[in-house]
Amino acid sequence: MRTRVQAALLLFAVIAVAAFAVPLLLFTASDRTQQLVLARSADLDRFASLMDQAAATGDTSAVAAEARRYTQLYGEPLVVTDTRRNPVVQTGGMRAGDPAVARLLDAALRNQTAHPSAALRPWSRGHRMFAEPAGTGTRVSGAVVLRASVGTAAQEITRRWAAVLAGAALVAVACTVLARVATGWVVSPLRRLDRAVGQLAAGLPPEQTRAGGPPELRQLATGFNRMARTVTAALEQQRRLVADTSHQMRNPMAALRLRVDALHPHLAPSGARTYDGVTTELDRLETLLDDLLALAAAEHRAGELTVTGGPGVRCDAAAVAADRHRLWEPVAERAGSRLVLRTAHPVPVPVPAACTERELAQIADILLDNAIKYAGEGAEITLHCALAAGPGPAVLTVTDDGPGLGTEELALATTRFWRAGRRRRDGTVAAGTGLGLAIAEQLLAGRGGHLELTPAEPRGLRVRAVLPGATAPG
């Protein structure tokens, strides 16, 4: 925003300076040109007067001597002729027979004055020709042609233009400084407000936005600070509630499990089924509590990374996948399924990913746990890790040939507490809290990644954890 506002102000300043400087430049050039024309016209009038006197007296010595002194002093040649185009005086190498001079002489003898009208510029070079008839009224007694150099006038125009352009540059610099100050005055409070909004959206306590800038922005900052204090207090109360609840729940649940375990030796055989049901429900409650705390931690971590960007971490996703395969392979065998690690190359190739090994391992554990639970006995589960085509992101893929999910179910799979109601191949329903994929999605979002769920061919489910690729250090 600051760049766009500065660009608009500077464009306006450039237009304003140009609207002032360009006419001034043209005026200075025109004014100096007019001065040259007036000065040379006065000189021509003087020589025309001398020629008129010479024509009346028959003595041309005065006009000839004056013309030679003029050329010697100013370096500008003159040609003076009588009415028959006979040269009275010729100086500086200019001759009456020269084509350009002859045309001007003919015009002057026809009682026509020739003064150049084109304005001079700093790059003007050469000379300008002036011609004027001698005589009074309609009586022409001769003609005068003057070749005036424009070098001095062009140099003076150059100096004037340089002064004008220097002034325009100073004004432009001043406008630039003022534009930066003005935009900083307006945009800085907005940047602070935007940073505070990002922190608040991520669930972090935002910094207090200092009131500054125009009155409207100061009022907005004051209102935001009030809102932020209210929201932060509510979020803190919510976090405290989760922490206190988890602490208060863990202790009674641990005591309850100890008491239930202590009762087991004293139960009659008929109570074994009830005992197994109680312990199963206790396991579910403990798992649910652990998943809730994991989801809360993942959401908080994702919010922090969204605001701060996180440190420049990296890990070898292929190594993490191989480690998770070794850990979960016996679990899959006990569940009656088969876990296969598929690699794109005979020799392991590193797959750099922009996350920590712990985060990626947690994501892989969630995906593999879901696949083993829901694919059922006899399923084949494939774990694959590679870079996308080209210098793309790192992709960890878990594919199974179990019952899979329908189109509507795929859209709900990452919803909290949602679980597919269908049965596995062996007719049982897998136990779970419905929070695993939601946790994985939050972990990926914190690092700028995402989760993709698609049907596998010919059947089953394919889950892809997509993470930004990481460049090698150094």
Side-chain angles (χ1 to χ4, degrees):
M1 177 180 177
R2 182 171 187 172
T3 302
R4 292 193 294 270
V5 173
Q6 282 185 355
L9 291 177
L10 290 178
L11 179 61
F12 174 77
V14 168
I15 293 174
V17 171
F20 168 78
V22 171
L24 185 58
L25 293 174
L26 297 178
F27 172 77
T28 55
S30 178
D31 179 65
R32 186 60 184 88
T33 303
Q34 190 65 23
Q35 291 178 13
L36 176 66
V37 172
L38 291 176
R40 296 305 177 268
S41 297
D43 294 337
L44 285 174
D45 289 341
R46 180 162 166 266
F47 284 108
S49 177
L50 291 174
M51 181 57 199
D52 189 45
Q53 294 176 7
T57 61
D59 183 9
T60 61
S61 58
V63 65
E66 191 68 22
R68 293 188 182 93
R69 282 196 297 270
Y70 180 88
T71 301
Q72 184 179 6
L73 180 61
Y74 297 107
E76 296 179 348
L78 277 164
V79 171
V80 182
T81 65
D82 57 15
T83 55
R84 297 180 180 180
R85 288 187 56 183
N86 294 320
V88 174
V89 60
Q90 301 178 119
T91 64
M94 189 168 64
R95 296 293 179 262
D98 295 341
V101 177
R103 287 194 297 271
L104 292 174
L105 288 173
D106 290 340
L109 291 175
R110 293 194 299 269
N111 203 16
Q112 296 176 358
T113 300
H115 292 168
S117 58
L120 298 176
R121 297 289 184 264
W123 51 86
S124 297
R125 297 292 182 269
H127 55 269
R128 298 291 186 270
M129 302 290 288
F130 295 81
E132 189 169 311
T136 57
T138 58
R139 184 181 64 85
V140 177
S141 58
V144 182
V145 176
L146 171 65
R147 187 172 67 193
S149 173
V150 300
T152 302
Q155 291 176 2
E156 186 172 348
I157 292 174
T158 301
R159 289 192 295 270
R160 293 183 181 182
W161 279 31
V164 172
L165 293 176
L170 289 176
V171 173
V173 170
C175 290
T176 302
V177 174
L178 289 176
R180 290 184 64 85
V181 172
T183 53
W185 180 60
V186 174
V187 175
S188 293
L190 292 177
R191 286 183 173 176
R192 293 194 295 268
L193 186 61
D194 178 69
R195 186 165 56 250
V197 169
Q199 292 172 340
L200 184 62
L204 302 177
E207 62 183 22
Q208 289 294 307
T209 303
R210 299 189 304 274
E216 294 80 4
L217 288 181
R218 292 198 295 270
Q219 183 178 359
L220 178 62
T222 303
F224 173 80
N225 288 333
R226 287 198 301 268
M227 180 196 71
R229 286 192 293 269
T230 303
V231 173
T232 302
L235 290 175
E236 183 60 29
Q237 291 174 1
Q238 180 181 356
R239 291 194 186 101
R240 191 173 301 168
L241 176 63
V242 172
D244 293 344
T245 302
S246 64
H247 177 71
Q248 295 298 329
M249 287 180 65
R250 281 184 178 278
N251 291 335
M253 286 183 64
L256 180 61
R257 180 172 286 278
L258 288 174
R259 286 175 171 81
V260 170
D261 290 341
L263 287 174
H264 185 253
H266 306 288
L267 290 176
S270 60
R273 182 175 181 181
T274 302
Y275 173 79
D276 292 339
V278 170
T279 55
T280 300
E281 292 303 320
L282 282 176
D283 291 338
R284 287 184 59 194
L285 283 174
E286 289 178 345
T287 302
L288 178 61
L289 179 59
D290 291 339
D291 285 352
L292 280 172
L293 294 176
L295 178 60
E299 287 179 337
H300 184 69
R301 180 59 176 161
E304 287 182 337
L305 294 175
T306 300
V307 175
T308 63
V313 297
R314 69 187 303 271
C315 71
D316 183 2
V320 174
D323 178 69
R324 295 295 97 183
H325 173 261
R326 287 191 296 270
L327 179 66
W328 284 92
E329 188 176 22
V331 178
E333 290 179 356
R334 287 195 297 271
S337 57
R338 178 168 174 259
L339 179 60
V340 178
L341 177 65
R342 183 167 63 88
T343 58
H345 304 277
V347 179
V349 177
V351 179
C355 68
T356 64
E357 291 185 0
R358 181 178 178 182
E359 291 168 343
L360 187 57
Q362 187 175 359
I363 294 169
D365 289 345
I366 292 172
L367 302 186
L368 291 172
D369 182 54
N370 272 3
I372 293 172
K373 281 181 181 178
Y374 294 100
E377 187 176 356
E380 180 174 292
I381 303 166
T382 303
L383 175 63
H384 175 62
C385 182
L387 286 173
V395 181
L396 180 72
T397 306
V398 176
T399 307
D400 64 71
D401 58 357
L405 295 175
T407 304
E408 295 181 358
E409 292 175 322
L410 288 174
L412 298 172
T414 57
T415 304
R416 299 174 188 180
F417 302 108
W418 182 87
R419 294 163 54 197
R422 65 183 62 186
R423 296 181 177 273
R424 298 181 293 191
R425 291 178 178 177
D426 56 3
T428 61
V429 178
T433 62
L435 293 176
L437 293 181
I439 295 172
E441 189 175 47
Q442 288 297 323
L443 291 171
L444 289 167
R447 292 297 180 182
H450 61 277
L451 197 65
E452 297 178 357
L453 285 81
T454 56
E457 296 296 338
R459 67 175 183 175
L461 180 67
R462 176 180 293 108
V463 184
R464 301 173 76 244
V466 183
L467 276 164
T471 57

